[in-house]
Amino acid sequence: MSPSIVVNGPAGVQTIANPLYSYRFQPLDADQLPDYPFNQYVETVRYPATNNPAATSQNNLIARQLDNSGASFRNRLYILLTMYKDYTTFSNEAWISSDNPAGYDSLESIHDQIHGLTGSGGHMTYIHYSAFDPLFWLHHAMIDRIFAMWQVLNPESYVVPEPAIFSTFTFSAGQTQDVNSPLTPFHNTSGGFWTSETSRTTEVFGYAYPETAKYDGGNLTSQVIVAVNQLYGASGVPRLTKKRSSNVKSADAEWVANIRVKKYALNAPFFVHIFIGKFNTDPFSWSFEPNLVGTHSIFVKAIGPNSTCNCDTEQLVTATIPLTERLHVDVLGGFLESLGPEDVTPYLAKALSYRVSLTNDTEVPNVAVPSLKVSIFSIDVERGAGDDELPIWGEMRGHMDVSMSS
């Protein structure tokens, strides 16, 4: 990423400061940003190599991490947009004890992964500092876009009444929150507050995304289905069957690693890395390893030894890391016989492992996070014959728990 960019606008071709590069504090007020090292940084940083005022962003490393996790992001989004039909499960990373294993991922979990990888110890890593980084706003526009696409596919599912888990400035713990609860401090034009009901669609605010814009004579649902398949589906990905070229449906299996862990297990943000195959023992390399199949980030406010948080420190959160794309590659390479459980289960028992690290690339032994559970599941899926059809998902089947096994 360059600190300047060339734009062609009303004033012609100009070179301007890149608005996404960083935010420079005007000036830095260490009393307002008291936590070290953020009371040292005069501008926002990503993956900082030092903790002093001269620290700079290592955007080249951020780009490499994101590229290496690109397939994981795409596959997670595809499963989320095509399999998840319930708003509460789709939106929220909190583990629901009565939920089935098919509900482990969420838009919030994917959101957290971007915060972790783009921050890597910088401002985006921490809840109370992340919004200073200009990437925060680009990132949340993407989250808004994905939610808008999901809403088109699932128009009947939305916010349901739930008791507040903890107290805020305007709600007490246990108080019911629903679609009509005020979203303080966001005022509407009438002087009141926006609610989930009054802000249900982007059109209320005068905008739409290319995938969700309504065109004359078009079918919006079909339009979004095609976009989801083309953007996040298996087009261009090595597969064992040429499912779209013959215009016939095909049966397949989707393999995933489900992650469950206490959000405050380490009282700080941390990563869970999933590998299939060998990898470098240096934790600095883990986000860049060719055998990395996915990284999940636990996005949390750090709690120091003398501080507390307004939170449930026992809260369990979940995520899903897709494995199928890598398994297809291993089948085509002759390392794995098939995607059947009789072949995949013993293969993953030997080849799959996971590691935990802090955002400063410090390794955390697996046994030091006893709440962390990593389990392997598969789901039967009938993939559509064309981009205008969504896949049909079957039941999820559990195969093994690999927690603390490597």
Side-chain angles (χ1 to χ4, degrees):
M1 179 181 288
S2 170
S4 62
I5 57 173
V6 177
V7 297
N8 189 353
V13 177
Q14 293 177 293
T15 299
I16 65 170
N18 186 344
L20 297 177
Y21 188 75
S22 71
Y23 170 73
R24 192 168 189 86
F25 295 98
Q26 306 290 331
L28 173 66
D29 185 344
D31 292 332
Q32 296 296 319
L33 306 175
D35 300 298
Y36 180 83
F38 299 99
N39 57 7
Q40 303 291 308
Y41 297 143
V42 296
E43 66 180 327
T44 55
V45 291
R46 305 167 195 138
Y47 215 140
T50 63
N51 291 336
N52 58 49
T56 57
S57 293
Q58 300 185 91
N59 285 310
N60 59 318
L61 297 184
I62 298 295
R64 284 179 56 198
Q65 289 187 139
L66 293 175
D67 286 345
N68 202 39
S69 288
S72 179
F73 282 126
R74 185 186 67 247
N75 291 326
R76 288 179 74 175
L77 283 171
Y78 189 70
I79 294 173
L80 199 61
L81 286 166
T82 62
M83 189 173 76
Y84 286 62
K85 304 299 181 182
D86 173 71
Y87 169 81
T88 302
T89 306
F90 166 83
S91 64
N92 200 288
E93 69 181 358
W95 182 59
I96 304 171
S97 58
S98 61
D99 202 7
N100 64 51
Y104 264 51
D105 217 359
S106 65
L107 188 59
E108 185 178 12
S109 292
I110 295 177
H111 158 272
D112 291 359
Q113 187 182 359
I114 288 289
H115 269 278
L117 290 179
T118 58
S120 294
H123 290 77
M124 278 287 281
T125 310
Y126 296 93
I127 290 175
H128 48 318
Y129 289 108
S130 60
F132 287 109
D133 190 322
L135 275 186
F136 174 96
W137 304 98
L138 180 64
H139 171 39
H140 279 254
M142 174 63 170
I143 296 298
D144 182 59
R145 170 181 165 272
I146 294 299
F147 180 44
M149 293 171 69
W150 184 87
Q151 284 182 297
V152 171
L153 300 176
N154 304 277
E156 302 303 319
S157 185
Y158 199 45
V159 177
V160 296
E162 294 279 358
I165 297 176
F166 49 81
S167 298
T168 66
F169 289 108
T170 52
F171 279 89
S172 300
Q175 186 176 354
T176 299
Q177 297 174 307
D178 58 26
V179 291
N180 296 311
S181 298
L183 299 176
T184 56
F186 301 106
H187 288 273
N188 59 31
T189 55
S190 301
F193 293 103
W194 288 100
T195 68
S196 295
E197 184 60 44
T198 59
S199 59
R200 188 161 180 164
T201 69
T202 63
E203 287 83 0
V204 171
F205 301 99
Y207 72 94
Y209 293 97
E211 298 84 3
T212 63
K214 298 174 181 177
Y215 301 99
D216 291 341
N219 183 295
L220 186 57
T221 301
S222 297
Q223 176 180 304
V224 171
I225 289 172
V226 170
V228 168
N229 278 319
Q230 292 182 346
L231 291 170
Y232 307 117
S235 300
V237 177
R239 291 288 184 181
L240 302 184
T241 58
K242 300 293 186 180
K243 61 176 177 48
R244 297 199 189 278
S245 60
S246 57
N247 291 321
V248 295
K249 297 179 184 293
S250 64
D252 204 345
E254 191 73 37
W255 287 83
V256 300
N258 274 354
I259 296 170
R260 189 180 78 194
V261 67
K262 286 184 179 179
K263 190 176 181 76
Y264 292 90
L266 299 177
N267 289 334
F270 61 96
F271 294 120
V272 180
H273 309 273
I274 307 290
F275 304 93
I276 295 179
K278 296 180 179 180
F279 58 93
N280 194 309
T281 57
D282 181 359
F284 166 78
S285 74
W286 290 348
S287 293
F288 314 111
E289 285 291 307
N291 285 332
L292 178 77
V293 290
T295 292
H296 182 60
S297 173
I298 307 301
F299 183 48
V300 65
K301 181 179 179 180
I303 306 174
N306 300 315
S307 61
T308 59
C309 74
N310 186 23
C311 58
D312 178 5
T313 56
E314 297 299 306
Q315 176 67 63
L316 289 164
V317 294
T318 59
T320 294
I321 301 297
L323 308 176
T324 310
E325 184 168 327
R326 169 55 190 269
L327 293 176
H328 271 292
V329 171
D330 288 352
V331 170
L332 294 172
F335 303 104
L336 176 63
E337 185 68 23
S338 75
L339 287 184
E342 69 281 0
D343 294 315
V344 174
T345 302
Y347 180 72
L348 291 181
K350 294 180 180 179
L352 186 140
S353 55
Y354 70 92
R355 292 292 183 270
V356 179
S357 68
L358 299 177
T359 57
N360 63 358
D361 297 324
T362 299
E363 180 176 4
V364 178
N366 291 352
V367 294
V369 193
S371 66
L372 176 58
K373 303 298 179 186
V374 181
S375 304
I376 306 303
F377 290 82
S378 67
I379 322 149
D380 288 332
V381 54
E382 184 179 285
R383 305 185 188 275
D387 287 335
D388 58 345
E389 296 181 54
L390 290 177
I392 300 172
W393 297 93
E395 293 296 316
M396 182 172 274
R397 299 186 300 271
H399 297 281
M400 60 179 171
D401 186 336
V402 298
S403 307
M404 294 188 291
S405 63
S406 54

